[in-house]
């Protein structure tokens, strides 16, 4: 296949047994199990087990003792740096030198500890650490995450975070997962693959959209005029955050589940979000009649994370916490293929020419 596909849209790069979104938007299944069955039945750490080990037990372990020395206030940056450092501090071996069992254990330690890094980064500089015995009182990963961050875990916040993490734990071959697989395919260690994925996820077209949804809701709440807001964004040829998807051509099933959760948790933003969604969908249908642009996961994620009082700028790191499961599963799957990823590019640059034709070439003499 030599056809060039911008953004690799529709290109099949791997075969996977982990999960793949159903394009028409009906459902999202992890190892065959619909996420509708998981939410509220099993906590996130068991879903990690389902994705990585294809078994709920033992699931994701407890984090290793780790102190984030100087939180910067930028959680994705703290997470990326700390994850890369863990490779060296723990002496993680290269994937090519590990058997599957050891690679899985490295990924389990990393996944759990990355959550602790985000909680510590969120707590911030100059705050006393929450004592370990207080954190240990939490029964689930979401509870312990909140305890490590805030010293308390409101049950509504726990439900919001656990639901969000389960819904966004894995989603086939998106940019960060592709990055994790590419890095793993070089035989690098698991910390390198996970930290590379964090970098890919920090961009607003992938993991950062919820951070831009809430300001949008704030604005509509202030003006009480969603039509004017949407019209203005489209007139400036900008994107309405939380709509459109590379894969789905119908409603994202995660948006459906998260919308329901936002309602169940009595989000104070539910009404304005529903109204804006309605208006945006109508406007997008008119704006791009040939390309279905439906609500994506990020729109209702923003509302659910807001219930848990997650600050806007922490949403990419929250997404990274969720995605440690998907990344781990894909890194292991990639390791088993043992094949370096190395696609091709078609050269369309200048024809052969002398150095003297290039700007800045020193003139002799
Ligand atoms: N608002 C307005 N227009 C949108 C749009 C949105 N949310 N999403 C896509 N479009 C438009 C694009 O401007 C483009 O128009 P053009 O052909 O005139 O340039 C067309 O629809 C196709 O968009 P494209 O960027 O090719 O689609 P994609 O598959 O690459 O995009 C997203 C997928 C998610 C990156 C894109 O829909 C987007 O940027 N959404 C907003 C950000 C977001 O919610 N991200 C979270 C994703 S889960």
């Amino acid at each position: 296949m030599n056809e060039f596909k911008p953004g690799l849209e529709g290109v099949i790069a791997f075969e996977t047994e982990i999960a793949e979104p159903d394009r028409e938007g009906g459902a999202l299944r992890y190892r065959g199990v619909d996420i509708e069955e998981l939410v509220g039945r099993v906590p996130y750490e068991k879903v990690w087990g389902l994705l990585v080990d294809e078994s709920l037990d033992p699931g994701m372990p407890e984090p290793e003792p780790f102190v984030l020395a100087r939180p910067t206030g930028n959680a994705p940056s703290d997470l990326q740096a700390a994850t890369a450092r863990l490779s060296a501090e723990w002496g993680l071996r290269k994937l090519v030198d590990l058997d599957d069992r050891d690679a899985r254990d490295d990924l389990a330690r990393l996944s759990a500890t990355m959550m602790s890094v985000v909680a510590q980064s969120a707590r911030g500089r100059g705050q006393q650490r929450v004592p370990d015995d207080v954190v240990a009182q939490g029964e689930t990963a979401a509870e312990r995450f909140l305890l490590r961050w805030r010293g308390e875990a409101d049950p509504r916040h726990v439900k919001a975070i656990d639901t969000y993490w389960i819904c966004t734990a894995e989603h086939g071959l998106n940019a960060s997962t592709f990055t994790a697989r590419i890095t793993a395919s070089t035989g690098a260690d698991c910390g390198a693959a996970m930290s590379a994925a964090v970098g890919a996820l920090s961009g607003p077209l992938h993991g950062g959209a919820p951070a831009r949804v809430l300001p949008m809701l704030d604005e509509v709440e202030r003006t009480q005029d969603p039509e004017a807001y949407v019209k203005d964004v489209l007139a400036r040829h900008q994107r309405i955050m939380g709509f459109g998807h590379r894969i789905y051509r119908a409603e994202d099933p995660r948006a459906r589940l998260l919308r329901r959760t936002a309602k169940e948790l009595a989000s104070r933003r539910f009404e304005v979000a529903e109204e804006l969604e309605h208006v945006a969908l109508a406007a997008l249908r008119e704006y791009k009649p040939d390309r279905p642009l439906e609500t994506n996961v990020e729109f209702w994620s923003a509302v659910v994370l807001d219930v848990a009082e997650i600050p806007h700028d922490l949403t990419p790191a929250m997404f990274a916490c969720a995605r440690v499961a998907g990344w781990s599963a894909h890194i292991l799957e990639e390791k088993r293929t043992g094949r370096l990823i190395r696609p091709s590019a078609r050269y369309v640059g200048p024809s052969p020419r002398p150095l003297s034709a290039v700007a800045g070439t020193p003139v002799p003499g």
Side-chain angles (χ1 to χ4, degrees):
M1 189 195 67
N2 289 322
E3 198 190 341
F4 167 52
K5 298 265 190 167
L8 301 182
E9 184 163 358
V11 173
I12 295 176
F14 307 108
E15 290 188 322
T16 183
E17 295 179 4
I18 305 162
E20 188 58 31
D22 153 8
R23 193 179 155 84
E24 297 315 320
L28 172 63
R29 286 178 285 270
Y30 296 159
R31 304 269 183 196
V33 182
D34 196 314
I35 57 169
E36 291 267 358
E37 260 206 87
L38 295 168
V39 167
R41 292 267 302 277
V42 285
Y44 171 84
E45 54 273 31
K46 297 290 179 190
V47 175
W48 188 98
L50 172 65
L51 285 164
V52 178
D53 300 325
E54 214 177 333
S55 161
L56 301 185
D57 289 323
M60 186 179 74
E62 292 289 302
E64 306 255 330
F66 176 82
V67 178
L68 180 67
R70 273 173 297 143
T72 62
N74 179 327
S77 169
D78 282 345
L79 181 62
Q80 192 176 4
T83 306
R85 277 189 72 98
L86 285 174
S87 291
E89 285 178 16
W90 290 349
L92 295 186
R93 288 187 296 141
K94 305 288 181 201
L95 271 166
V96 278
D97 298 327
L98 292 179
D99 62 23
D100 288 358
R101 189 76 233 158
D102 288 341
R104 180 261 174 219
D105 289 348
D106 281 356
L107 289 163
R109 295 169 77 193
L110 278 165
S111 295
T113 309
M114 285 168 77
M115 290 199 167
S116 156
V117 170
V118 173
Q120 292 180 58
S121 178
R123 187 163 179 80
R125 205 191 288 240
Q127 295 264 30
Q128 276 220 325
R129 288 184 66 230
V130 177
D132 289 343
D133 58 324
V134 174
V135 176
Q137 285 165 17
E139 284 178 8
T140 62
E143 256 182 80
R144 287 188 291 270
F145 175 86
L146 281 170
L147 287 167
R148 183 170 277 112
W149 171 5
R150 299 173 176 161
E152 58 181 27
D154 177 317
R156 275 178 80 238
H157 299 182
V158 172
K159 179 173 171 177
I161 291 178
D162 193 54
T163 305
Y164 168 74
W165 279 352
I166 292 174
C167 288
T168 55
E170 155 63 4
H171 203 246
L173 202 59
N174 50 49
S176 61
T177 303
F178 193 32
T179 305
R181 287 191 76 133
I182 292 170
T183 312
S185 85
T186 70
D189 64 66
C190 294
M194 293 284 242
S195 64
V198 175
L201 174 135
S202 61
L205 298 189
H206 183 13
R212 296 173 183 230
V213 169
L214 289 188
M216 203 165 77
L217 295 180
D218 285 341
E219 181 61 14
V220 171
E221 220 162 9
R222 193 182 63 77
T223 61
Q224 295 288 311
D225 194 346
E227 276 94 359
Y229 180 85
V230 165
K231 222 170 133 188
D232 177 57
V233 172
L234 297 181
R236 286 185 284 118
H237 296 290
Q238 292 195 338
R239 292 171 185 227
I240 311 174
M241 288 292 146
F243 295 87
H245 200 274
R246 179 56 70 82
I247 302 279
Y248 292 124
R249 292 293 166 257
E251 183 181 51
D252 182 330
R254 301 165 299 173
R256 192 172 58 228
L257 225 161
L258 288 162
R259 184 193 295 111
R260 197 165 72 215
T261 304
K263 193 170 187 184
E264 279 167 15
L265 291 173
S267 159
R268 67 187 174 86
R269 295 187 184 264
F270 186 79
E271 271 179 33
V272 67
E274 209 178 30
E275 201 186 343
L276 177 62
E277 181 184 38
H278 186 72
V279 168
L281 288 174
L284 286 168
R285 266 166 215 147
E286 211 172 289
Y287 180 65
K288 290 273 161 212
D290 300 329
R291 183 165 185 112
L293 293 170
E294 301 292 327
T295 317
N296 68 42
V297 63
E298 311 274 16
F299 186 80
W300 286 102
S301 289
V303 180
V304 167
L305 290 175
D306 178 62
V307 171
E309 295 169 19
I310 306 293
H312 303 185
D313 56 358
L314 202 71
T315 53
M318 293 300 286
F319 188 17
C321 286
R323 203 40 75 82
V324 294
W327 293 336
S328 297
H330 278 274
I331 290 167
L332 273 182
E333 197 173 69
E334 186 57 42
K335 176 187 184 319
R336 291 183 187 120
T337 74
R339 181 110 182 124
L340 176 70
I341 298 169
R342 199 329 186 166
S344 304
R346 185 186 302 150
Y347 180 71
V348 293
S351 316
R353 55 183 177 157
L355 176 61
S356 58
V358 178
T361 307
V363 182

